[in-house]
Amino acid sequence: MSEPSEKSLERMRVYTQKYWEKTGTSPHPEKTVTDAVVTGLALHIDELGRPLCPCNFYPDKKAELERSREWVCACDEMKRYKYCHCLLFVTPDGLPITEYLPEDHEGRQIYGLVRDPTPGQGREARHKVGAE
Amino acid sequence: MAGTDLLVKVTDDTFAEEIEQHEGLALIDLWATWCGPCQMIAPIVAQIAEDYQGRVKVAKLDVDHNQKTPMQFGVQSIPTLLLFKDGSLVDKVVGAVPKQHVVEKIEQHLG
């Protein structure tokens, strides 16, 4: 099993800490969940140059990055809906915020309605919802 | 036998033999090492393997090392659990869902 460089790990640790504060979200109560995702993001920085979400399947990771920055952390879903299906940016209870998702989104089907405890923060790309 | 010992490690090369040619129910967990929700559902999948020993074949496939199978079934988010009956896909569960959610899907197709 490959390990990320300490430089990329530290970069992602700093990034996630700042993004929790910026968006009013929390780390998952199970530290192993957060550690796994941060490690996966750091590995993708080393391999691909960008922190591609490790909770998706990509037939070709390089082609995915050429296609779009959609799944580069923080992903489009996080910036628009404050929803992190990777469980990196969640409520204090460890649930992903689903309040802003379309009702037919799989996140609503999996987790039900999860309210945003800090509605004044985050969703920096909310203006793009429905705009494309 | 512990649930983790009952899990069948499946690859693209063994998928047809292990899952598509299996008679009865088979549940396969498509996962990746650095996926947080995959870690959350792993013990649930292992527990299901133990609870349904002899009735449901429970398997795991690492999508970082096996790309043909997730492509074949249009998988995007992981974890994704695929449920097969006599080799045909009958249900799909995406995300770190509670155990009861997976059990309900299995019970629907047992019998």
Side-chain angles (χ1 to χ4, degrees):
Chain A
M1 190 183 297
S2 58
E3 296 292 334
S5 65
E6 189 53 41
K7 182 183 173 187
S8 294
L9 258 184
E10 185 58 20
R11 179 176 155 189
M12 285 317 304
R13 287 188 190 118
V14 170
Y15 176 79
T16 49
Q17 183 62 47
K18 285 184 178 174
Y19 204 70
W20 285 319
E21 291 166 9
K22 177 182 173 183
T23 58
T25 54
S26 303
H28 196 278
E30 288 184 37
K31 189 172 178 296
T32 54
V33 172
T34 303
D35 288 348
V37 178
V38 168
T39 302
L41 291 166
L43 271 170
H44 279 163
I45 292 177
D46 290 345
E47 293 167 8
L48 306 162
R50 306 292 301 277
L52 190 65
C53 176
C55 300
N56 278 336
F57 165 70
Y58 314 96
D60 182 330
K61 292 180 181 180
K62 285 183 180 171
E64 174 62 26
L65 286 172
E66 287 165 10
R67 180 190 73 82
S68 166
R69 61 88 50 219
E70 179 180 2
W71 295 110
V72 173
C73 189
C75 68
D76 286 2
E77 282 193 336
M78 185 65 201
K79 290 183 173 179
R80 295 175 189 190
Y81 303 112
K82 212 168 169 177
Y83 173 71
C84 175
H85 83 281
C86 216
L87 308 183
L88 186 57
F89 305 109
V90 293
T91 67
D93 295 334
L95 291 171
I97 293 158
T98 63
E99 177 178 352
Y100 309 112
L101 289 172
E103 285 188 14
D104 60 351
H105 189 283
E106 69 182 26
R108 288 289 285 271
Q109 291 159 13
I110 299 166
Y111 300 104
L113 177 61
V114 180
R115 298 279 184 198
D116 181 2
T118 56
Q121 292 175 264
R123 298 190 69 205
E124 56 270 38
R126 70 182 71 191
H127 60 283
K128 290 189 177 175
V129 173
E132 291 172 355
Chain B
M1 188 181 284
T4 48
D5 296 331
L6 299 166
L7 296 170
V8 180
K9 188 178 175 184
V10 169
T11 67
D12 284 342
D13 291 338
T14 62
F15 180 79
E17 181 186 345
E18 294 284 4
I19 304 297
E20 291 183 319
Q21 293 166 25
H22 176 72
E23 290 185 10
L25 276 188
L27 180 77
I28 183 164
D29 173 15
L30 282 76
W31 69 288
T33 304
W34 304 116
C35 155
C38 298
Q39 295 202 351
M40 290 186 66
I41 206 159
I44 292 172
V45 171
Q47 186 61 54
I48 285 171
E50 194 172 333
D51 294 349
Y52 286 89
Q53 185 177 2
R55 292 188 290 160
V56 180
K57 184 176 194 173
V58 182
K60 291 177 78 82
L61 181 137
D62 182 344
V63 302
D64 276 339
H65 297 102
N66 299 277
Q67 302 186 315
K68 187 176 149 197
T69 305
M71 281 179 73
Q72 183 181 344
F73 294 97
V75 170
Q76 183 180 33
S77 294
I78 50 172
T80 290
L81 306 182
L82 301 176
L83 187 63
F84 290 83
K85 186 169 189 177
D86 298 330
S88 296
L89 181 67
V90 291
D91 227 323
K92 181 164 125 174
V93 177
V94 178
V97 297
K99 180 185 172 190
Q100 187 56 32
H101 187 87
V102 185
V103 166
E104 284 170 10
K105 297 281 187 186
I106 290 171
E107 292 291 339
Q108 277 176 26
H109 297 286
L110 268 180

